[in-house]
Amino acid sequence: MLEAHHLACQRGDRLLFHRLALAVKPGELLRIAGANGMGKTSLLRLLAGLSSPAAGSVSWHGDYIQHQRESFHAAMLYLGHAPALNDLLTPAENLRFACAVAATPASPATCSEALTRIGLQRQLPLPCKVLSQGQRRRVGLARLFLETQRPLWILDEPFTALDAAAVSDLAATLDAHCASGGAVIFTSHQDVALRTPERLLDVEAFAK
Amino acid sequence: MLEAHHLACQRGDRLLFHRLALAVKPGELLRIAGANGMGKTSLLRLLAGLSSPAAGSVSWHGDYIQHQRESFHAAMLYLGHAPALNDLLTPAENLRFACAVAATPASPATCSEALTRIGLQRQLPLPCKVLSQGQRRRVGLARLFLETQRPLWILDEPFTALDAAAVSDLAATLDAHCASGGAVIFTSHQDVALRTPERLLDVEAFAK
Amino acid sequence: MSWNSLSDFLAMGGRGFFVWGSYGAAFILIVAELWLLRVRRRQSLQRLYQLQQIEKD
Amino acid sequence: MNIFRFSSPQTFYPLAGKLIPVFGTLAVLCTIIGLYLGFFVAPTDAVQGEVYRIIYLHVAAAWMSMFIYLVMAFWSAIGLGLGTRLSFYMTQALAPTGALFCFIALWSGALWGRPTWGAYWVWDARLTSQLLLLFLYFGFIALTRSIEDPRRADKAGAIIALVGAVNVPIIHFSVKWWSTLHQGASVSMTKSSMESSMLWGMLIMAFAAWFYSLAVTLARARCIILERERHTDWAAAEIAAKGAKA
Amino acid sequence: MNIFLAVLRRDLLLAWRGRSDLLVALAFFLIVASLFPFGVGADPVQLRAIGPGVVWVAALLASLLALPRLFAQDHDSGVLEQLLLSPEPAVIWVSAKILAHWIATGLPLVLIAPLLGLMYRLEPGATQVLIASLALGTPILSLIGAIGAALTLGLRGAGSLLALLVLPLFVPVLVFGAGAVDAWAGGMSIAPHLSLLGGGSLAALALAPFACAAALRLACE
Amino acid sequence: MNIFLAVLRRDLLLAWRGRSDLLVALAFFLIVASLFPFGVGADPVQLRAIGPGVVWVAALLASLLALPRLFAQDHDSGVLEQLLLSPEPAVIWVSAKILAHWIATGLPLVLIAPLLGLMYRLEPGATQVLIASLALGTPILSLIGAIGAALTLGLRGAGSLLALLVLPLFVPVLVFGAGAVDAWAGGMSIAPHLSLLGGGSLAALALAPFACAAALRLACE
Ligand code: HEM
Ligand SMILES: Nc1ncnc2c1ncn2[C@@H]1O[C@H](COP(=O)(O)OP(=O)(O)OP(=O)(O)O)[C@@H](O)[C@H]1O
Ligand SMILES: Nc1ncnc2c1ncn2[C@@H]1O[C@H](COP(=O)(O)OP(=O)(O)OP(=O)(O)O)[C@@H](O)[C@H]1O
Ligand SMILES: [Mg+2]
Ligand SMILES: [Mg+2]
């Protein structure tokens, strides 16, 4: 469903990678590998349409993503490494806002439920500011429960700062998504046991 | 060398842990375990003297740390989960400032060397703002090379965002520190292979 | 006693608005403070009691 | 652990509970006597007419607002010096009442100013410094309210109360100097020798305000003590006893 | 439309909860306006003469001051990225953000202006004209300011850059706004001033959100 | 002493390199001062009368505006924690930070004041008094302001809270500062004004760093 051809990414003076090609099909789990600073985050942002490549193109179901921005963004979920929270809002308020923005409105009850499921029931009334690192990440990840119908997930280091239980929980969520025909592109420096066979793409192979 | 008795930590309405006791001896590696939000970070901050406990005390070589703040802080190194960088300064400038603040002045050359050793030679002239997540963490961790003579290291999630090579590198640094008679207290959700036998303290055991 | 009648008293020599405006506002504010204090005591007792019950479990 | 630290709020709480009705009654009595003297015994002012009767409210409120700030600074200094929590509680309990009196003084002064000076507001020294005092109160209250960690709120509030107290006289004199430098005699108060019934009325109203402040502050301090000491055994018992009914 | 309301609600909630932008602008406005007597002396005639000008300058500064934070927080926390990834057109939520910003920073200025009129002893008629000019003029400040805020997002020295960018565009608003009161005081018609302000508001409303959305996309590249 | 120099160097470097409090404050100062003629009309006599007051108000606003960022960035990035963990006493680096802040925000105002004197057509003598009063008064603003900035660090609506807290404390500085020029214009002695400002600076210098350090410890608890 998502394909990239001949992608190149330049940051300042440095060409991070070039001639990078990839394709993701439904049910696939693609892991982007590479050492720190090799351009994983930069690649994911290109794929999500947040920045535009120095060369090459990204297409979604055969058409360039910039030609069908709205339908592509309606079908894709991107979570960067910043959890996109406002410090003054409660987890539920943040989650509900994120869903409204993504045009998949969720009721407060659904949001609280998703947060409870991800282990934040005691933190529901707190402002996100006082949450621990892992709890903040969880608030961002709770969106995954509410957006299962989006075919493509692009996740930047989703396992960071999570404890072991949360990691295996998240792994199960990713597996379930793939099993139901979704596709996941993610990065991670941790080795996580996933049931879905994971395809690896090493950005370093495309470095100059 | 560091001992804590009967520590309690309260955040807002919530008592995170109480009656927590610990002792660290030279050459020891103490890992604080616990799920997200159980109070690991809060505990480390108490031990570093950054916040004061709701009950109990922390002592260093037999005397309360608040009675000997200066000598304790001269002997201790704390790295929180935020890497303490200014976005506009280069890695070397940040590192040099951090050392000056900690009263262990380092020359620019020493700083560049430490950064090179941690794999940032290509990023030396860049402002920290454009570094990748892992590179930012590395700048913070480069201090460890320059402060080997401090007996106690307190590190909050030092392995986060690092790639596999950097993780094993850091592990070796911690081992070396312990081997030379230093002590390390750290938290981590990742399992990392360390040569020094690691003692585990689970904060959840002290939760109410 | 310089007042001949109630209306005389209320008029305050033609300056009733200013005199009663001050005293009235002060009265209202003081009553409001007392009332808010009562509310605060009741609410905090309730909240603390609930917290206590929660912490018991 | 210092015994004194722990025992203080505990012994203070019931004591305050007993004192509140006493001060409350005294405040009501003084108000009645003061207003009776002021409105029914004291004669009409030769220059200002009846409107001067605002004085019984205005002066009491103005004095009280300044006095309360001093007391707050006093408790803050004690709290920061000795680390007694009760002094922080007292500081915080005093502030809203101080702000209230400050506002009443401003309001009644403004209403008094219109008939006597022809304007609700002029940039006169005393008025201006009173306005700044109100800002100091608001600043203290806003600061302590917006800090969630109560221990930080205590100390931060104490710091700003002390810094403000150092500045109150400076504000007073600077502003006084400023307006006398600029401004002609557009503002001058009629200082007639005061009738003794007026003077008594004023003084007794000042006492009424004082007793009222004591009563209200103690009541507020009791709330704060309960909230802050709820983990101690005695407070928990008190909450269990009173909370079920509330 | 849903996203419009969601963004509007959240930004107003934040303004209320942080009381940040809301009160900063308002507090700043009041402070600027009430500091003047201390600086220039308490002479009532002089105060009345400079009153409208002071109030308008204060309004302009308050708007300018609140601008850098219009998008900065959302940019840093990653919320802006999510907004750009929304399937809805960006103009919609950009407009909502600007509206919320105006409600939180512009509207209070309009509402509090009568108080300042009292403080500077303006005549009631002059105060009314002042209020009308603020009501018509502050939306222009928010709309044009938002473009500047978006263009300088994440840059070094964003604050001063922003001030430099939008100031030349703000000055005409200031001139017409304060001019309206002067015209009234001089017995002239205030219609030209006010209709220029109103027309400016409408034009800015039609164009600014597009420019702003484009600038935000660039800022997040 | 080493840490004093290190902090001073770094903060000045930062001010120079970008996120410049330097430029924001200076730009703001210039903007406020130069907007006034647009707002109140260009009558030279009136301008001269309000000139010193406007300049002082502008200086005060510029200081106020730069304050929230004095510690905020270091707080968010964790640098403040490291400073608090330094074996050196906190007053030392707090003083260095305040000094750097004054050099970056207060000093430029003093240096640019002659220009404004020209703009408002002040007499040369008046401009000199203005400069002297700014030189003696702006350190007080930075010192007291730093306490406010430390107390409100990391709070909701820190900006407006800070303004509310320090405003009453700034007013005397403003009154004496602008008053000095008026006294000079009125042919009176300026010594009392200036010596009060100088004395205030010294007193603030002796006390503020301690209060500020205590407040910063609280903020990082
Ligand atoms: C907003 C307007 C006003 C404010 C803020 C204000 C404020 C104050 C303050 C702070 C005091 C206590 C001063 C001290 O004891 O040092 C005071 C006292 C007093 N005020 Fe006012 N005032 C205002 C208007 C007026 C007016 C219009 C009058 C009458 C014409 C007036 C008459 C008095 C008198 C007689 C006292 C007692 C004098 C003394 O004990 O020294 N005030 N006022
Ligand atoms: N202006 C610039 N000049 C030179 N290099 C730059 C510039 N901006 C960014 N870079 C480099 O681009 C890279 C960005 O990498 P990116 O954030 O995509 O890495 P990543 O693979 O996600 O790393 P990590 O595992 O640490 O998250 C970094 O190596 C950074 O140093
Ligand atoms: N005001 C408050 N009221 C209630 N709970 C609070 C408040 N402030 C903080 N907390 C809680 O205190 C805990 C702080 O935990 P801390 O940051 O020490 O966790 P941690 O063990 O380091 O977690 P992580 O693994 O996610 O980093 C969190 O659970 C947080 O929700
Ligand atoms: Mg990355
Ligand atoms: Mg943690």
Side-chain angles (χ1 to χ4, degrees), chain F residues 134-161:
Chain F
L134 283 172
L136 289 172
T138 47
I140 312 187
L141 302 185
S142 295
L143 285 160
I144 295 188
I147 304 179
L151 283 173
T152 54
L153 197 56
L155 300 184
R156 289 178 176 188
S160 53
L161 203 54

Side-chain angles (χ1 to χ4, degrees), chain A residues 11-12 14 36-42 189, chain B residues 126 130 132 134-135:
Chain A
R11 288 256 164 261
R14 184 162 163 210
N36 289 140
M38 294 311 291
K40 300 179 295 302
T41 299
S42 309
H189 292 299
Chain B
L126 297 178
V130 304
S132 80
Q135 289 170 336

Side-chain angles (χ1 to χ4, degrees), chain F residues 108-206:
Chain F
L109 309 191
V110 180
L111 298 180
I112 207 132
L115 190 68
L116 296 182
L118 274 183
M119 243 165 70
Y120 283 91
R121 312 238 198 128
L122 300 186
E123 294 159 54
T127 307
Q128 277 162 26
V129 178
L130 182 64
I131 295 172
S133 71
L134 283 172
L136 289 172
T138 47
I140 312 187
L141 302 185
S142 295
L143 285 160
I144 295 188
I147 304 179
L151 283 173
T152 54
L153 197 56
L155 300 184
R156 289 178 176 188
S160 53
L161 203 54
L162 173 60
L164 184 62
L165 283 182
V166 299
L167 187 73
L169 311 177
F170 278 9
V171 164
V173 182
L174 174 62
V175 167
F176 287 122
V181 188
D182 283 338
W184 185 88
M188 285 179 285
S189 162
I190 56 168
H193 289 92
L194 293 188
S195 53
L196 277 170
L197 285 178
S201 271
L202 288 180
L205 189 61

Side-chain angles (χ1 to χ4, degrees), chain B residues 79-131:
Chain B
L79 295 181
H81 51 62
L85 302 181
N86 186 290
D87 278 351
L88 295 182
L89 299 180
T90 64
E93 284 164 344
N94 268 309
L95 183 58
R96 196 164 164 228
F97 175 71
C99 290
V101 163
T104 42
S107 71
T110 332
C111 290
S112 303
E113 204 180 294
L115 289 166
T116 308
R117 200 170 138 198
I118 210 160
L120 292 175
Q121 60 286 2
R122 294 186 63 176
Q123 279 71 34
L124 283 178
L126 297 178
C128 282
K129 188 176 170 175
V130 304
L131 299 191

Side-chain angles (χ1 to χ4, degrees), chain D residues 23-171:
Chain D
F23 291 134
T25 319
L26 283 172
V28 174
L29 281 180
C30 285
T31 312
I32 292 172
I33 298 173
L35 288 183
Y36 177 79
L37 282 177
F39 277 90
F40 298 103
V41 178
T44 307
D45 185 80
V47 186
Q48 297 194 9
E50 304 295 355
V51 76
Y52 93 93
R53 290 184 203 273
I54 294 178
I55 200 172
Y56 304 109
L57 177 66
H58 174 75
V59 174
W63 282 347
M64 214 53 223
S65 66
M66 293 184 293
F67 181 62
I68 287 181
Y69 200 87
L70 286 183
V71 179
M72 277 170 58
F74 169 78
W75 283 123
S76 299
I78 303 256
L80 285 181
L82 304 180
T84 46
R85 281 168 302 167
L86 185 60
S87 10
F88 294 127
Y89 303 162
M90 284 306 287
T91 315
Q92 279 160 41
L94 278 161
T97 306
L100 175 79
F101 278 121
C102 200
F103 184 81
I104 292 178
L106 276 167
W107 181 266
S108 59
L111 281 179
W112 195 356
R114 184 66 220 241
T116 38
W117 305 334
Y120 287 108
W121 185 258
V122 291
W123 291 96
D124 158 80
R126 193 178 257 173
L127 277 60
T128 308
S129 47
Q130 186 76 358
L131 182 66
L132 294 178
L133 182 64
L134 186 69
F135 284 170
L136 287 179
Y137 274 119
F138 282 168
F140 176 90
I141 295 171
L143 182 68
T144 47
R145 291 262 163 98
S146 52
I147 301 180
E148 272 150 37
D149 174 19
R151 285 187 300 173
R152 180 180 171 195
D154 283 349
K155 291 186 187 148
I159 292 175
I160 199 66
L162 279 177
V163 173
V166 171
N167 273 274
V168 165
I170 300 178
I171 290 170

Side-chain angles (χ1 to χ4, degrees), chain E residues 24-26 28-29 57-67 105 109, chain F residues 28:
Chain E
V24 171
L26 192 62
F28 214 76
F29 182 62
V57 171
L60 199 155
L61 294 178
S63 304
L64 199 58
L65 180 71
L67 280 177
T105 65
L109 309 190
Chain F
F28 210 76

